[in-house]
Amino acid sequence: MKISGISYNSAIRCNFGADLHINGKKASVTGLKKLIKENAKDAFINSDDISDKRVTYYSHGKRIASETEYDKSGKWYKQTWYDYNDGKPNWVRFADGTLNLSRNGGKEWKKMPKVEFNKETGNKTLRLHAALPDYDDKNSVGAYSLQIFDKNGDRFINSCVYLTADKQYCYYFDKGLKELQNELEKLKVLLLEDDYKDSFGASRLFNKNLEDVIKFLSGINNKA
């Protein structure tokens, strides 16, 4: 049995994808809830049965730090990490690689929001990055970039639009800008879905800049 994304005290130790160990010995499903209760007061299992359930870890006994959800076979399929400052999700990923969404936490989220999205579909791996500049720093530069790799790890799409603090856009190559626009439009829709809009789609600053760069890319791509 495996538990991912949870760390307890020295008595209980669990690393990403590693088997659960209690006091240096591999643990079984039997008595797991009791062992966690005895050895890690900040963590709990929502049910006596690990299958089709959720394991939650609390930081300092108060805020939820992370959650791991399991299917009926006992395999994890979703992990969520929470921002310590606002208590909202700042990283969500699925085991099948179809969604890996994260944002920068802390105070910077309000001032310089950044969102990263990765996914695996078929023989392709997609990496999308959207970061705003620091508008208090005229030399700061943000970036909207897209990279797509084939099954061999070779990159065949690599496009980027840079955004300066004085609202100027620049790019070096026009190849891949249409794909970048398409993926940013998909990201815009994703961030407004019910599961993500409260934490990933809640920044007006980020949303406004995302709309602006999509319009900028649309103007370039429509001329091509």
Side-chain angles (χ1 to χ4, degrees):
M1 190 219 50
K2 295 180 181 294
I3 295 180
S4 301
I6 301 173
S7 61
Y8 304 102
N9 55 24
S10 57
I12 285 187
R13 184 176 181 180
C14 184
N15 298 320
F16 291 99
D19 293 317
L20 178 66
H21 286 72
I22 308 289
N23 291 322
K25 296 181 179 180
K26 186 175 178 179
S28 64
V29 177
T30 305
L32 178 60
K33 186 176 183 181
K34 180 181 178 182
L35 289 169
I36 288 181
K37 185 177 180 180
E38 292 175 349
N39 291 277
K41 295 180 180 179
D42 289 342
F44 73 92
I45 263 186
N46 295 27
S47 170
D48 291 321
D49 185 3
I50 187 67
S51 62
D52 200 24
K53 299 300 177 183
R54 176 183 302 165
V55 176
T56 306
Y57 173 62
Y58 283 90
S59 176
H60 305 294
K62 298 180 180 180
R63 290 186 179 273
I64 296 179
S66 65
E67 292 180 322
T68 303
E69 298 178 49
Y70 296 82
D71 60 24
K72 293 181 179 180
S73 68
K75 295 180 179 180
W76 79 272
Y77 66 89
K78 180 182 179 182
Q79 292 180 328
T80 305
W81 283 263
Y82 294 82
D83 184 272
Y84 182 79
N85 292 282
D86 60 26
K88 297 179 180 180
N90 64 2
W91 185 16
V92 179
R93 70 169 183 164
F94 286 85
D96 62 5
T98 55
L99 186 144
N100 192 328
L101 178 67
S102 63
R103 65 174 172 89
N104 59 323
K107 298 179 181 179
E108 293 80 8
W109 169 241
K110 295 182 179 180
K111 185 178 180 181
M112 296 182 296
K114 176 178 68 176
V115 171
E116 293 183 341
F117 175 73
N118 299 289
K119 69 176 179 180
E120 299 174 9
T121 55
N123 296 324
K124 296 190 299 183
T125 298
L126 181 149
R127 297 175 183 172
L128 184 64
H129 172 93
L132 270 64
D134 181 354
Y135 289 114
D136 293 333
D137 180 1
K138 293 183 179 180
N139 296 318
S140 179
V141 177
Y144 295 84
S145 65
L146 171 68
Q147 294 181 325
I148 301 179
F149 302 83
D150 62 21
K151 62 180 180 180
N152 298 318
D154 296 325
R155 186 172 57 197
F156 60 91
I157 292 292
N158 184 23
S159 59
C160 183
V161 169
Y162 297 96
L163 172 62
T164 63
D166 58 354
K167 292 282 188 173
Q168 298 296 314
Y169 295 102
C170 63
Y171 63 94
Y172 296 109
F173 307 102
D174 56 3
K175 183 179 180 180
L177 291 183
K178 182 61 178 178
E179 288 82 358
L180 175 59
Q181 179 187 341
N182 291 339
E183 294 303 328
L184 289 176
E185 289 174 345
K186 293 177 184 178
L187 179 65
K188 177 183 175 182
V189 173
L190 175 69
L191 297 184
L192 295 179
E193 290 184 2
D194 289 342
D195 289 343
Y196 309 110
K197 65 181 180 181
D198 187 43
S199 53
F200 296 94
S203 171
R204 293 183 179 180
L205 178 63
F206 182 87
N207 295 339
K208 178 62 170 62
N209 278 268
L210 184 59
E211 291 180 358
D212 289 346
V213 74
I214 289 174
K215 291 179 181 178
F216 171 75
L217 287 167
S218 178
I220 296 174
N221 293 323
N222 288 337
K223 295 178 181 178

